[in-house]
Amino acid sequence: MPKRHSNGSLDTEVRGHQHADAAAFLATEEARTGAGWASKRPETSIPREPFDLGMPTEFAAKSLGAVTGPRRDPQQLIDHIDSAKRLGNVAWRSTSTDSVIVSLARHGVKVMDARRMRVFLRVPMHALKSVFYYVEDSSECKVVLEVGESSVQDFKYFIYEVKTEAEGSKLCAAFEHAFETVFAQATLESL
C-alpha cells in the first residue's frame, strides 16, 4: 500500500513491462526499489500459451487522461501524474463516462469507447515503450502506457484505472507476452 509523504510524494510499488529498449533505463529503478517488473521470468515452470497474433486481447478500463514530458523513472512519473491531478490536467476519479476498452493486438494498442464505436487512441507496437501499474493509497489501481519514439525527447503517458490490482497485473502480463511473441516472430522472419 503506498504511503503519501508530507511533500506529496508516494511510496508505491510499481509493476509492469518495459519494451526492449527501455530495459536499461528501468533496470536501475528495479534494482533500487525491488519492484517486480513483468519482464522478469516467472518462477513457475508452467508453459504459457503463445500470444494469439490474430485475435486482440481486450481489457475494460477507465481513462483518466494523459501527461507528456521527458522520460522518467516510474516513481518520478507517479509524482508527475499527481502534480497533473492537482493542476486539473488528469482526473482524480473516474466516472462511468470514462469507460474504455484497451485492445492489444499484433500491430499495437487501440483504445475505444465501451461500445466500440469510437477510437480514441492507436499506438503501433514499436512506439510502446513500457506499461506498468501502481496502486494508490485509496486502493485504486492505475495502469500507465508509455508511448514515444526513441529519437523524440517528449513521451506521452496515458493513464487508465482498472478495478483491481489483479487486473492491472493481468494487463501488464498480456503486454509482456505480446512483446515477447511479436519480437520472437520478427526475429524468425528476419532470418
Side-chain angles (χ1 to χ4, degrees):
M1 200 52 84
K3 295 181 181 122
R4 186 165 302 276
H5 297 281
S6 59
N7 67 0
S9 66
L10 282 175
D11 282 339
T12 308
E13 183 175 357
V14 180
R15 297 179 184 265
H17 172 75
Q18 67 270 359
H19 196 277
D21 66 350
F25 175 79
L26 296 173
T28 56
E29 180 65 12
E30 181 179 346
R32 187 180 71 77
T33 64
W37 290 95
S39 61
K40 289 183 178 177
R41 295 281 176 224
E43 294 179 8
T44 178
S45 61
I46 299 171
R48 293 185 296 178
E49 294 291 320
F51 179 72
D52 184 354
L53 296 174
M55 293 296 298
T57 303
E58 296 183 342
F59 298 92
K62 297 200 177 196
S63 177
L64 297 176
V67 295
T68 58
R71 193 151 211 199
R72 295 175 164 91
D73 70 49
Q75 189 59 51
Q76 291 173 333
L77 180 57
I78 292 168
D79 291 341
H80 182 63
I81 291 169
D82 284 345
S83 294
K85 286 179 182 178
R86 287 190 287 280
L87 293 172
N89 297 331
V90 173
W92 282 95
R93 302 238 183 258
S94 62
T95 65
S96 60
T97 60
D98 299 324
S99 294
V100 295
I101 302 293
V102 178
S103 178
L104 173 64
R106 127 188 258 165
H107 299 292
V109 174
K110 179 169 59 171
V111 178
M112 52 201 149
D113 70 340
R115 293 186 295 156
R116 294 174 178 79
M117 301 291 286
R118 192 168 159 211
V119 176
F120 300 116
L121 175 70
R122 281 185 205 270
V123 180
M125 192 67 83
H126 71 272
L128 290 169
K129 297 303 174 198
S130 68
V131 178
F132 69 91
Y133 74 90
Y134 64 98
V135 178
E136 295 268 17
D137 52 353
S138 61
S139 298
E140 295 169 339
C141 185
K142 311 292 190 216
V143 175
V144 179
L145 300 179
E146 180 183 34
V147 177
E149 299 292 331
S150 299
S151 61
V152 179
Q153 293 297 321
D154 278 347
F155 286 80
K156 193 150 192 171
Y157 301 93
F158 296 93
I159 303 112
Y160 299 96
E161 181 178 290
V162 293
K163 289 182 181 179
T164 64
E165 184 176 358
E167 286 183 33
S169 177
K170 185 177 177 183
L171 191 144
C172 289
F175 272 85
E176 173 195 11
H177 203 63
F179 281 131
E180 288 175 357
T181 303
V182 170
F183 178 75
Q185 183 186 26
T187 302
L188 289 173
E189 288 175 358
S190 69
L191 296 176

